[in-house]
Amino acid sequence: MPDLIEPLDRDPLSGRRVVRCFAYARISDDREGAGLGVERQLDDIHKLAAQLTTPEAEYRVVRAFEDNDLSAYSGKPRPDYLAMLQALRDGEGDCVLAWHTDRLHRSPVELEEYINVCEPRGVDTRTVMAGHLDLATATGRMIARQLGVQARYEVERMIERARRKRDQMAERGEYFGGRRPFGYESDGITPRSLHCPRCDAGEDGKFVSVRLCLSCGEEGAFLRDQACRACEARQGFTVACFCRKCSTEAVIAPGSEAALVEVAIDLLLAGAALKSVATRWNEEGILTSTGAQWAGSEIRSMVLRPRNAGILVHRGKEAGRGGWKALVDEPKWRSVVALLTDESRRTTPGSARRHLGSTLYVCGVHGGTLRITTGNPQHRQLGIPSYACRVSKHLVRRADLLDDYVQLAVLDRVMQPDAAELLVSREDPVDIRDTQRIMREARQTLTDLATALGDGEMDMLEWRAASKAAKKRLAEAEQVLSTAVKVNPVVGLVSAEDPEAMWNALDLGRKRAVIDHLMTVVVLPARRGRLPGGGYWDPDSVRIDWKK
């Protein structure tokens, strides 16, 4: 064995020279080459140290460095790898032991840095699988560089194969895998849970997902480019689930995890806050797909998923219809996306509305909205907030008395015999079918143009000019569809057996949405002094204009 390292220390018992070894282990998501966990790599490294030990020299592992789930190819910093280089610079180690050279580096830049650290210090490198790497000689450095090039080539090939596989899956509308999405089974396709209305089947594996052509209704007859074999139409498809026992189309079971996705979206569209939905679900024992409790941010991420509407996302962009049953209609999903991504929506901590009428109630003198203030000395002493005009201090009202008056007006209105009229839509509905048709045609045009570009039938300049109009049509259609669903916040309150109990159970955001939907609260100057009856509250100073 070559005597590459001078004796820096000797074992007091055996008298053998001690070679201070650093053990380095890493495993990334790709598991390229090794397929071994960090612990398994370290076990093999310790065995290698024992094999290298001779009566004259002991290869002793003095420090172990581990980077788990960090790819050497990605370029992201590896804390333990960087710490190992620094320890080598400081002269704390004589030899580096690794399972393979590709565990140390796959980037030529990283390899050169490693050589610059090891060569002048005479640091040896030995691996379980690739043998001895002698960086002290030109031949050894050449071999190290060749191994690095080979490792990078293998990674790039692996990435190309993975991308091509995902491209094919996207073309077929298949599920990419990963963490189980809330509302679906672990296959990412079957809603959790389905129910057969005919034979009452409801167990896992009792249903099959089928693609139905939107043009002819034929089942599952689609080519890879999503053209229907039966009618050759490219109108797209929808996905339905059928019972394997009786062939009846299954429905999503009420109260199931899949049904809760639409429940959350309806609550948000009706004015509920993200935090309130999370709080309610946590109180009811509803957990995330990983068994954790909900936070408002997790509710937001969950409802924003395109897969809820059956939309496949590939390389960060919508790639058409996915091969799974949607949990919510696309118009409703796009509406909640528009709501939650609105730049004017307040999402900064501490900026949420804390009072029922702030920015809703209107000053009857200046026409501006009212804000919360503590400017009234008497109210401040009692610890009671007040509403005041934003323009001047001429109008101040106790918040609790004004809010109570407005809430009583709401309850009185929803309990009237004609309350059902409040549910009538005030806007003309969007032509959803035509809008979706425009979206499908625009996506198909972009697909055809991309194919023509790839086949060399057009150059990049021609592609940009031709695709610009299709992208514009697609964006306009998506914008139209995002306004298609406006959930009436009064729904549920009108039909409730106990409207007052229902009202008290609503969160502040939902109550504000109901008030904004039903009325305009106009606050007028009040009469001065004590009123007949001994009180100071003047109901005539509040005018409620009901919206039609």
Side-chain angles (χ1 to χ4, degrees):
M1 181 180 298
D3 193 6
L4 299 174
I5 301 175
E6 292 297 326
L8 298 178
D9 193 9
R10 289 187 179 274
D11 186 276
L13 297 179
S14 65
R16 290 185 300 185
R17 175 169 58 91
V18 176
V19 180
R20 299 169 300 168
C21 298
F22 287 170
Y24 180 77
R26 176 189 62 81
I27 190 167
S28 59
D29 290 334
D30 59 13
R31 307 298 195 267
E32 173 69 13
L36 302 174
V38 166
E39 292 184 1
R40 175 69 183 280
Q41 291 183 46
L42 291 175
D43 287 343
D44 287 351
I45 288 171
H46 281 282
K47 292 177 182 178
L48 174 63
Q51 293 171 1
L52 294 172
T53 297
T54 66
E56 293 77 24
E58 176 190 355
Y59 281 74
R60 180 184 298 175
V61 176
V62 294
R63 291 186 63 180
F65 298 87
E66 304 175 11
D67 283 317
N68 201 359
D69 268 351
L70 292 171
S71 171
Y73 178 80
S74 67
K76 294 181 181 179
R78 292 180 284 155
D80 266 27
Y81 177 78
L82 297 177
M84 182 183 70
L85 290 184
Q86 187 57 49
L88 292 174
R89 293 188 184 98
D90 295 340
E92 299 176 9
D94 311 316
C95 180
V96 175
L97 304 180
W99 193 84
H100 195 283
T101 56
D102 63 8
R103 299 296 91 191
L104 284 169
H105 35 252
R106 288 179 177 170
S107 163
V109 174
E110 277 192 348
L111 173 59
E112 293 303 322
E113 181 185 17
Y114 182 78
I115 291 174
N116 290 337
V117 171
C118 295
E119 180 188 1
R121 295 168 178 83
V123 176
D124 200 9
T125 302
R126 296 180 181 271
T127 68
V128 176
M129 300 301 295
H132 181 209
L133 209 61
D134 185 3
L135 301 180
T137 66
T139 301
R141 292 191 293 274
M142 179 192 70
I143 294 173
R145 292 182 177 113
Q146 289 177 339
L147 289 172
V149 170
Q150 179 66 25
R152 189 173 182 87
Y153 166 72
E154 291 175 358
V155 172
E156 290 178 349
R157 281 192 61 197
M158 178 195 66
I159 292 175
E160 287 179 352
R161 291 195 299 268
R163 285 179 176 173
R164 181 53 186 155
K165 180 179 179 180
R166 291 179 72 88
D167 288 343
Q168 291 178 338
M169 294 175 70
E171 291 174 5
R172 300 169 184 172
E174 297 177 354
Y175 173 54
F176 290 156
R179 167 182 168 179
R180 181 181 75 80
F182 184 82
Y184 289 92
E185 300 291 350
S186 57
D187 61 3
I189 295 176
T190 308
R192 189 177 196 178
S193 300
L194 291 173
H195 173 73
C196 177
R198 183 176 179 182
C199 68
D200 204 32
E203 299 179 8
D204 296 342
K206 297 295 184 181
F207 304 96
V208 59
S209 296
V210 176
R211 301 182 184 189
L212 304 176
C213 176
L214 291 175
S215 179
C216 67
E218 192 70 20
E219 296 183 6
F222 290 92
L223 302 172
R224 284 179 56 184
D225 59 0
Q226 306 305 338
C228 177
R229 286 194 181 94
C231 65
E232 299 184 356
R234 296 178 180 269
Q235 297 302 315
F237 62 88
T238 185
V239 177
C241 296
F242 290 87
C243 176
R244 293 180 183 273
K245 183 177 180 180
C246 65
S247 300
T248 302
E249 183 173 356
V251 297
I252 295 176
S256 66
E257 191 176 287
L260 288 173
V261 175
E262 186 167 14
V263 169
I265 291 175
D266 286 341
L267 287 171
L268 294 172
L269 290 175
L274 289 165
K275 186 176 180 179
S276 70
V277 177
T279 300
R280 177 185 298 185
W281 283 12
N282 291 335
E283 290 175 349
E284 294 176 357
I286 300 169
L287 303 177
T288 67
S289 61
T290 60
Q293 289 199 320
W294 291 93
S297 58
E298 291 173 329
I299 294 289
R300 184 180 189 274
S301 299
M302 184 272 291
V303 299
L304 287 179
R305 294 179 321 195
R307 73 163 16 261
N308 293 332
I311 298 172
L312 177 73
V313 174
H314 182 48
R315 296 187 181 180
K317 296 182 180 180
E318 293 183 16
R321 188 69 173 82
W324 54 82
K325 181 177 176 63
L327 305 184
V328 63
D329 291 336
E330 184 179 354
K332 181 178 288 188
W333 175 76
R334 292 199 180 275
S335 295
V336 79
V337 170
L339 172 69
L340 296 179
T341 57
D342 186 356
E343 293 182 358
S344 64
R345 180 180 173 87
R346 292 175 175 263
T347 57
T348 310
S351 65
R353 302 295 181 190
R354 296 183 176 87
H355 299 278
L356 191 65
S358 179
T359 71
L360 286 182
Y361 300 163
V362 177
C363 173
V365 178
H366 297 102
T369 58
L370 304 187
R371 62 182 176 86
I372 285 293
T373 180
T374 56
N376 187 300
Q378 295 179 346
H379 295 174
R380 185 169 61 248
Q381 291 176 0
L382 296 173
I384 300 174
S386 303
Y387 289 112
C389 177
R390 292 180 178 273
V391 180
S392 67
K393 298 180 180 179
H394 72 285
L395 190 150
V396 179
R397 288 289 186 280
R398 275 184 54 167
D400 56 342
L401 298 179
L402 181 53
D403 287 345
D404 287 346
Y405 183 81
V406 172
Q407 293 181 89
L408 288 173
V410 170
L411 292 174
D412 180 68
R413 180 66 186 91
V414 299
M415 288 189 287
Q416 295 297 320
D418 63 343
E421 296 180 3
L422 300 174
L423 304 179
V424 178
S425 175
R426 297 171 181 165
E427 301 178 1
D428 294 332
V430 171
D431 189 343
I432 293 176
R433 287 184 176 276
D434 186 61
T435 304
Q436 290 179 318
R437 177 188 59 78
I438 294 173
M439 292 173 64
R440 287 194 300 269
E441 292 177 351
R443 289 194 183 108
Q444 186 59 49
T445 299
L446 291 173
T447 300
D448 293 342
L449 290 174
T451 302
L453 177 65
D455 293 342
E457 298 175 3
M458 61 184 348
D459 58 29
M460 182 61 71
L461 186 62
E462 292 173 328
W463 176 83
R464 288 176 178 172
S467 63
K468 184 177 180 180
K471 290 180 179 179
K472 182 179 179 181
R473 290 199 308 273
L474 180 60
E476 289 175 348
E478 289 178 349
Q479 178 61 32
V480 169
L481 209 59
S482 71
T483 63
V485 177
K486 301 293 184 183
V487 174
N488 191 323
V490 185
V491 173
L493 194 60
V494 171
S495 58
E497 294 184 5
D498 188 346
E500 183 176 359
M502 178 71 177
W503 173 263
N504 292 333
L506 299 180
D507 62 85
L508 181 62
R510 181 78 179 275
K511 290 179 179 178
R512 286 172 54 84
V514 170
I515 292 172
D516 188 42
H517 181 82
L518 290 180
M519 63 178 74
T520 299
V521 179
V522 182
V523 183
L524 305 167
R527 290 173 287 180
R528 293 183 178 276
R530 191 183 297 271
L531 301 177
Y536 290 93
W537 171 251
D538 184 7
D540 294 334
S541 66
V542 182
R543 187 181 79 235
I544 294 180
D545 297 334
W546 298 98
K547 296 179 180 179
K548 298 181 180 179

